[in-house]
Amino acid sequence: MAKATQLINNEVFRAFATYAAIVLLKMMLMSLITAYFRLTRKAFVNPEDTASFGKGESAKKYLRTDPDVERARRGHLNDLENIVPFVGIGLLYALSGPELSSALLHFRIFTGARIFHTFAYLIPLPQPGRGLSWAVGYAVTFSMAYNVLKAVWLL
Amino acid sequence: MAKATQLINNEVFRAFATYAAIVLLKMMLMSLITAYFRLTRKAFVNPEDTASFGKGESAKKYLRTDPDVERARRGHLNDLENIVPFVGIGLLYALSGPELSSALLHFRIFTGARIFHTFAYLIPLPQPGRGLSWAVGYAVTFSMAYNVLKAVWLL
Amino acid sequence: MAKATQLINNEVFRAFATYAAIVLLKMMLMSLITAYFRLTRKAFVNPEDTASFGKGESAKKYLRTDPDVERARRGHLNDLENIVPFVGIGLLYALSGPELSSALLHFRIFTGARIFHTFAYLIPLPQPGRGLSWAVGYAVTFSMAYNVLKAVWLL
């Protein structure tokens, strides 16, 4: 267990683990939001999901798309496209030996930006609110990738 | 190479690596299932993919959606939404020094639940089979995230 | 910081970090390509994104799908389905103590195949160009998973 213990004694790694867990939980929350909208808007995609509403034509009308469901799904996909690179590049960054203060700055800005992005998408806020929060998160991940490549470059 | 060797001597890490590889391979299998349905149902989305069926109108009829293809694609997306957080949070959890027995319990339940989920989606089984297997996997990842945050919390 | 320093002194890990950062940046690039096509083709999905084009009916006509936007989105999703397993399995593989030469071979072929895949998808090149580059990347990830399971197997 020596190795594991060592890693969680590293403050940068502990900070990364904290923020990575938070943004991954936030991403998982999108599943619940989508399920909530599917149930309240009665908008499903699989025939077996509407079986409890009766048989035949009466249940078929619930096999439809709903704007709120689609919005939550787009927010979820946007999280996959942005939070997954953050977690992958952030892990490499945390292991590349950055200053704790720089690392915390990256992790905090990214996490704040993605939480804001979710509210901006779901409320929805007028643009460019959502676009800017997306760009901030993107820039943070890009900055970490630059630092990783500078530290480890071996092609 | 000292570090790498150390990590694979850690039993919790070895268990994580085994189950993470299995569920990631299971997720990759969805690509083959989608490709199988696209080829057997002759349902494609890119014009260049139907070029071997002839030119012009004769090939265009294969640019269509098919229920089996769409079902496999939804199963694949659901894997991305659930297996990716498991791998990210599971890695942090494995490095946070849990008991081997607790870790194995988490990994085994998650892996079993996701394999069941795939069968439930593709056959398809009547609900709530698929919904429950999704919820079990979700709860396991949530439990690991809770343990990670308890062990590493540094905001 | 001892642990972090150790890991980036491991050459296989440095090689993995380099290639993982490159393919994750390549995946992130798909967001910019999609945004470029959305702006130049004026094809949006969220009503709030078209507000700057005027109010009411005049802006509604930009809420539409466009073949180039959809093509870039499919390329992005294909990256998620293939690059994410590469990063997850590749990390485990890098930590399982492979020879540097074998590891570099895996990482280089995968990275080359995925860059080719993106060009094949966006230009688009005639099949089987895109299909083969997808299969090469898939086979590399599968080979790494096999090596991981051989090295760590603990079920």
Side-chain angles (χ1 to χ4, degrees), chain A residues 7-8 10-22 86 94 100 103-105 107-108 111, chain B residues 92 149 152-155:
Chain A
L7 246 188
I8 63 163
N10 179 305
E11 286 197 314
V12 172
F13 182 78
R14 283 178 54 205
F16 169 71
T18 305
Y19 286 97
I22 289 171
F86 169 81
L100 178 61
L104 280 172
L105 192 68
F107 302 158
R108 285 170 180 162
T111 304
Chain B
L92 303 173
L149 290 174
V152 305
W153 189 262
L154 192 159
L155 208 59

Side-chain angles (χ1 to χ4, degrees), chain B residues 1-8 10-22 24-25 27-32 35 45-49 73 76-77 80 84 87 91 95 100 104 108, chain C residues 2-4 6-7 10 12 71 74 77 80-82 84-85 88-89 91-92 94-100 120-121 124-127 130 134 138 141-142 145-146 148-149 151-155:
Chain B
M1 210 67 82
K3 172 71 150 289
T5 310
Q6 275 181 285
L7 246 187
I8 63 164
N10 178 305
E11 287 196 314
V12 172
F13 182 78
R14 283 178 53 205
F16 169 71
T18 304
Y19 286 96
I22 289 170
L24 286 170
L25 286 171
M27 184 170 89
M28 288 170 65
L29 181 64
M30 303 308 290
S31 295
L32 295 184
V45 65
N46 296 299
E48 68 269 26
D49 299 354
R73 292 183 63 220
H76 201 167
L77 187 58
L80 276 171
V84 169
V87 172
L91 174 67
L95 296 175
L100 178 60
L104 280 172
R108 284 171 181 161
Chain C
K3 171 72 148 289
Q6 275 180 286
L7 247 187
N10 179 307
V12 172
R71 185 173 281 276
R74 289 197 298 276
L77 186 59
L80 276 171
E81 292 169 358
N82 290 278
V84 169
I89 291 172
L91 174 67
L92 303 173
L95 296 174
S96 72
E99 291 294 323
L100 178 61
Y121 218 146
L125 297 180
Q127 287 281 29
R130 195 186 86 233
W134 171 83
Y138 196 89
T141 307
F142 196 87
Y146 171 78
V148 167
L149 289 174
V152 306
W153 189 262
L154 192 160
L155 208 57

Side-chain angles (χ1 to χ4, degrees), chain A:
Chain A
M1 211 65 83
K3 171 73 151 289
T5 311
Q6 277 181 284
L7 246 188
I8 63 163
N9 287 342
N10 179 305
E11 286 197 314
V12 172
F13 182 78
R14 283 178 54 205
F16 169 71
T18 305
Y19 286 97
I22 289 171
V23 291
L24 286 170
L25 286 170
K26 195 225 75 59
M27 185 170 89
M28 288 170 66
L29 181 64
M30 301 308 289
S31 294
L32 296 184
I33 293 173
T34 301
Y36 168 79
F37 281 130
R38 282 204 186 284
L39 291 166
T40 55
R41 270 62 170 169
K42 289 202 170 52
F44 300 90
V45 65
N46 296 298
E48 68 268 27
D49 299 353
T50 62
S52 62
F53 300 122
K55 290 205 184 297
E57 292 309 310
S58 62
K60 247 185 194 165
K61 69 180 172 209
Y62 301 122
L63 294 177
R64 57 190 181 89
T65 58
D66 172 88
D68 291 327
V69 171
E70 296 308 307
R71 185 174 281 277
R73 292 183 64 220
R74 289 197 298 275
H76 200 166
L77 186 59
N78 196 282
D79 273 357
L80 276 171
E81 293 170 358
N82 290 279
I83 288 176
V84 169
F86 169 81
V87 171
I89 291 173
L91 174 67
L92 303 173
Y93 171 72
L95 295 175
S96 73
E99 291 294 322
L100 178 61
S101 56
S102 305
L104 280 172
L105 192 68
H106 281 88
F107 302 158
R108 285 170 180 162
I109 294 176
F110 181 87
T111 304
R114 292 308 302 183
I115 291 171
F116 182 88
H117 183 273
T118 300
F119 282 103
Y121 218 146
L122 292 179
I123 292 176
L125 297 180
Q127 287 281 31
R130 195 185 88 234
L132 283 181
S133 62
W134 171 84
V136 168
Y138 196 89
V140 168
T141 307
F142 196 87
S143 164
M144 292 195 307
Y146 171 78
N147 281 288
V148 167
L149 289 174
K150 209 172 59 175
V152 305
W153 189 262
L154 192 160
L155 208 59

